[in-house]
Amino acid sequence: MKKGISIYPGLDNTPEENIALIQSAARLGITRIFTSLQIPETSKESFARQLQELLQLADKLDMDVISDISPASLELLGIEEFSLPRLYQKGLRTLRLDDGFTAAQIAKLSQNGMGISLQLNASVLNEGTLEKLQQQGCCLDRLEALHNFFPRENTGLSEAFTLTKTHLLQCHGIKTGAFVPSFARPRSPLKAGLPTLELHRETSFSFAIRHLAAMGMDCIFIADSLPAEQELSALAELDGSSIALQPEWLPELTPLEKELCSNVFTARPDEARDVLRTVESRHLTAELLKKQQNAAGQPASTAAIAPRQKPALPRPAGTITLDNQLYQRYQGELQITKTDLPPDRRINVLGHLPPLEQRLLKYITPGKKFRFI
C-alpha cells in the first residue's frame, strides 16, 4: 500500500510549511504527493513559483507528485494547449486526468514514451468507460485511479458506492486510491475536511485510514494540507497486510490475555454464522500457558484458563471472548461475536468493539488477517 500527502501551492500554507510537510512525510517513508492545478481559490501570483519548488523538492526526495489537471488548468501553468512534452518540461510526471478528456485522448496519452504516468477519476469511471478505453487501445495495466475528495458537507461518497467502484477498477488491474481528511487544520475555503467517504468527516483519523485499508485501497492520501504530526505518523505506520481493530478492553485483563491479543490472527476458512473465529488462538494460548507454567516451575499439565467472571457476562455483537478451561479442548479460542449471544460460564469476555469499529468486521473474510491496536 502506498501513502501520500497533499500540497496546494498558492492556497493556505506558506511555502515554508509546505517544505516542512514534504520533508516530514519523506522521513516517515511516505512516497506520494497529491496536488491540484484546478482550485479556483489558488493565488495565481504565487502558484507557479511554489509549484516549481514543490516539484524540485519532491524529485530530490524521490517522491511521486500526482497533479490533478484538466484543460482549464493550462492557464495556471502558462501553457496555451495541452501538450505532454510541455508538461514534462514543467516537471510533471504523473497526471490525474479529470474532466475534459475523451476515451480516445486518454488512450493516446497512455501510450506516451516519456514516462508520464496517468491516473483517472475513480469516482466516475464505469464499465462502459473502461470498455471504451480498451477499444481505443488504452493499456489499463499502466493506469491508476484515484477517487475524488469532497469539500462540501453531505456530498462525500457512500461506503457501498466506493467499494463497488474500487472493486470494478481493481478487477481490471487498475490500482485505486482515496482520500481521508485531516482534523488538524482543514483546507480552505470551506474548512470542512476533504474526505472521499462522507462517513470520515465524522470519525477519527485513525478509523478513516484503517477503514480505507480494510476496503482494499492501494493508496491512501491525506487530503488536507497541514496534518498533525500524529496523523502523519499514523498513516506512515499503517500496515495494509492486516485489518486493525481498536477495542475497548476490560480493565482486568491478565498478562497472558494481553500477550495473546498482541498477535496477528487469521480468520478461519470455515466461516461461522455467529462469531468470527481465529486460526491461531488455541495454539498460541497453549504456548503461552506452557511458558507461564515453566516460569512458575509447575507441570505443564496444570496450565489452564480459569473462568473468572461470575456471573458470566452477556456477549452482544462486537464482544471479544476467550474460551476457558470449561470448554475443554476449545480452551484458548479467541472469538469476536457477530450477533448478540447469551452469557456462557465457559467463555471469558475480554472487551468490546464500539459500533464504528464493528463496521470493519465485514471485511475480515475467511483467510483475512486482523489485529488489535
Side-chain angles (χ1 to χ4, degrees):
M1 179 197 302
K2 294 186 177 179
K3 302 156 187 178
I5 56 170
S6 298
I7 299 288
Y8 306 100
L11 200 54
D12 288 348
N13 296 6
T14 65
E16 293 74 21
E17 286 173 327
N18 284 336
I19 290 170
L21 174 57
I22 294 169
Q23 292 172 333
S24 294
R27 280 195 299 270
L28 292 169
I30 294 171
T31 59
R32 287 186 159 183
I33 301 171
F34 173 83
T35 191
S36 178
L37 310 183
Q38 49 178 341
I39 300 176
E41 294 82 10
T42 298
S43 166
K44 294 180 176 60
E45 292 73 23
S46 57
F47 173 83
R49 176 177 51 80
Q50 290 187 29
L51 177 65
Q52 199 60 40
E53 292 173 353
L54 158 65
L55 294 172
Q56 289 172 353
L57 179 58
D59 183 62
K60 179 181 176 182
L61 297 173
D62 199 25
M63 298 177 78
D64 182 23
V65 179
I66 292 90
S67 304
D68 196 38
I69 192 169
S70 71
S73 309
L74 302 181
E75 183 183 350
L76 270 178
L77 293 169
I79 299 175
E80 293 182 0
E81 61 181 25
F82 192 90
S83 161
L84 282 189
R86 290 296 308 279
L87 294 172
Y88 188 88
Q89 289 174 359
K90 291 283 185 180
L92 302 177
R93 299 293 181 266
T94 302
L95 305 178
R96 182 179 183 264
L97 306 179
D98 209 339
D99 297 329
F101 296 93
T102 66
Q105 288 172 324
I106 293 170
K108 185 176 180 180
L109 291 171
S110 75
Q111 298 162 1
N112 77 85
M114 289 174 284
I116 291 182
S117 301
L118 301 180
Q119 293 206 359
L120 305 181
N121 183 344
S123 303
V124 300
L125 285 172
N126 54 42
E127 190 73 59
T129 304
L130 293 173
E131 288 177 3
K132 286 181 181 178
L133 288 171
Q134 288 175 314
Q135 291 167 2
Q136 295 290 337
C138 185
C139 300
L140 296 185
D141 59 349
R142 296 178 60 188
L143 301 179
E144 289 191 22
L146 181 58
H147 284 286
N148 276 343
F149 57 66
F150 298 88
R152 187 194 186 282
E153 299 97 324
N154 310 120
T155 63
L157 304 182
S158 71
E159 180 179 12
F161 177 87
T162 306
L163 201 57
T164 298
K165 289 287 187 184
T166 300
H167 282 175
L168 170 66
L169 292 161
Q170 290 174 337
C171 285
H172 282 81
I174 301 175
K175 292 183 177 180
T176 306
F179 293 93
V180 295
S182 164
F183 295 88
R185 194 174 85 178
R187 200 202 71 183
S188 293
L190 299 181
K191 299 185 178 180
L194 301 173
T196 291
L197 271 67
E198 186 63 30
L199 170 69
H200 293 162
R201 231 185 284 273
E202 308 156 6
T203 69
S204 68
F205 181 84
S206 170
F207 177 84
I209 59 174
R210 289 184 289 114
H211 189 197
L212 288 186
M215 292 172 68
M217 290 298 168
D218 299 294
C219 185
I220 298 174
F221 286 88
I222 303 175
D224 291 288
S225 54
L226 198 61
E229 282 291 337
Q230 299 94 316
E231 293 174 332
L232 273 182
S233 297
L235 179 63
E237 293 165 7
L238 182 66
D239 181 1
S241 65
S242 61
I243 294 173
L245 305 170
Q246 193 164 40
E248 295 174 349
W249 299 109
L250 269 62
E252 67 270 17
L253 290 192
T254 67
L256 182 146
E257 291 164 344
K258 291 177 181 177
E259 188 170 352
L260 173 65
C261 291
S262 69
N263 285 279
V264 175
F265 298 100
T266 308
R268 281 182 58 128
D270 49 346
E271 184 176 11
R273 182 193 68 176
D274 297 335
V275 296
L276 175 64
R277 302 181 69 191
T278 53
V279 171
E280 306 89 350
S281 57
R282 276 191 272 170
H283 172 73
L284 288 170
T285 302
E287 290 296 313
L288 289 171
L289 284 170
K290 182 179 178 181
K291 175 182 168 184
Q292 180 178 288
Q293 295 305 98
N294 288 342
Q298 299 172 347
S301 59
T302 65
I305 296 175
R308 57 183 184 81
Q309 289 155 346
K310 300 178 182 178
L313 298 177
R315 293 173 291 151
T319 301
I320 303 162
T321 67
L322 187 67
D323 290 358
N324 61 50
Q325 63 184 339
L326 298 180
Y327 235 133
Q328 302 176 48
R329 67 185 178 89
Y330 288 97
Q331 173 177 250
E333 173 152 329
L334 184 139
Q335 299 180 351
I336 304 175
T337 60
K338 296 192 280 188
T339 189
D340 294 348
L341 296 173
D344 189 324
R345 66 192 186 94
R346 300 169 297 177
I347 300 172
N348 295 344
V349 171
L350 305 185
H352 301 87
L353 293 174
L356 192 61
E357 295 290 325
Q358 291 180 42
R359 297 180 73 119
L360 302 180
L361 291 179
K362 64 176 173 283
Y363 297 107
I364 307 178
T365 51
K368 266 287 192 182
K369 295 189 179 297
F370 71 94
R371 60 192 172 88
F372 299 115
I373 58 172

